[in-house]
Amino acid sequence: MLLAARDGAFESEGYAHRWSVFVQQTASFVAQGRPRGRRRSDLLALAKDVWPGETANVVLDHLLEVENLVENQGRFILGESWADAFDQGGHGMHANLRTSGGVPVVDAGTGEVIARVGGQPDMTKDIALGGQRWDVSYVDGEFLLKAKDAGPVREGFEYASRSAPTSLEYAGHVRCGLGLGELDAPFFDSPDGPIWLHFGGSAYQTLLCRILPSLRPVSALGGLAVKGTPTRSALDELIVQEDVLCGTVDQVFADLEPMLAVGPYQRDLPDQCRKKIVADLVGIQAFQNWLKTRRLWRITPNDPHWNRLQVILPER
């Protein structure tokens, strides 16, 4: 990945009208106009120059239906849930990035929230953070840090681990690191049965496992490999079934959303908008072309790629 960055090979990103941004902008704009609120025309103006059409009206109608917004004498004001959120600090609703949970870690010198961590201490202590020694105390629901002079450090914060979806581009970096070609999608025999290294990323894998039930995820190789091996004929048959592919995307759109960086306000959109965004980001034609161009072949212990392959295989 570092070599790709050096060479200017940036990840591509599927294009879609990300209407979750309009939801966030609407919430922020209405909040700034309190107590009088905003007219529908004011809100539509946020979108019309960028994304003309009737979708903005559909989104506003949905926000009224779920009572995130309330219409009063021709003006839109915040509904109870959104009003409460803004009264409690906005919870990131003035931006399309949502702050994660956890206890805030605050630099006592600047007041800046520099991190969020889990747990709650029962004592004051010193820790290491960012190469600096700090005194830490827990006050009013926050960790307060005060820089100390250099010296021995007792311990550091423990951050919770997290899993993230595997993008198609990241899977490609792994494939390249194994010395495989751009179109290579080999399989090999393991003690638990055949494993197919598809390198398609989490979204493509979700579709594959839904359409081809014989394929099952490998927990330690999410977005990289599945148990089972499809035949070339099975993939070719799938390629021409565009209605099946589109229908499957519709069925699992909520599962695909976290894998496609749709934004934290995607859930506030009507389902038809959510499905359209997911379908655009997946790209049915791109998925069909990916299936069509996969080169299936078997890796054996005598293959020069076998030793490299051991690096990514889960321990039994």
Side-chain angles (χ1 to χ4, degrees), residues 133-148:
R133 187 170 174 237
W134 305 80
D135 274 332
V136 58
S137 56
Y138 186 73
V139 180
D140 295 332
E142 298 177 332
F143 290 106
L144 291 181
L145 301 184
K146 293 183 179 180
K148 297 183 67 171

Side-chain angles (χ1 to χ4, degrees), residues 79-110:
E80 183 177 354
S81 62
W82 275 7
D84 288 346
F86 277 102
D87 289 341
Q88 296 171 20
H91 297 299
M93 295 181 77
H94 287 299
N96 202 39
L97 299 173
R98 179 154 292 163
T99 305
S100 60
V103 181
V105 179
V106 179
D107 186 327
T110 65

Side-chain angles (χ1 to χ4, degrees), residues 151-174:
V153 178
R154 296 177 193 163
E155 60 184 292
F157 271 126
E158 292 186 4
Y159 294 87
S161 61
R162 69 179 183 90
S163 59
T166 300
S167 69
L168 180 62
E169 287 78 10
Y170 176 77
H173 288 304
V174 176

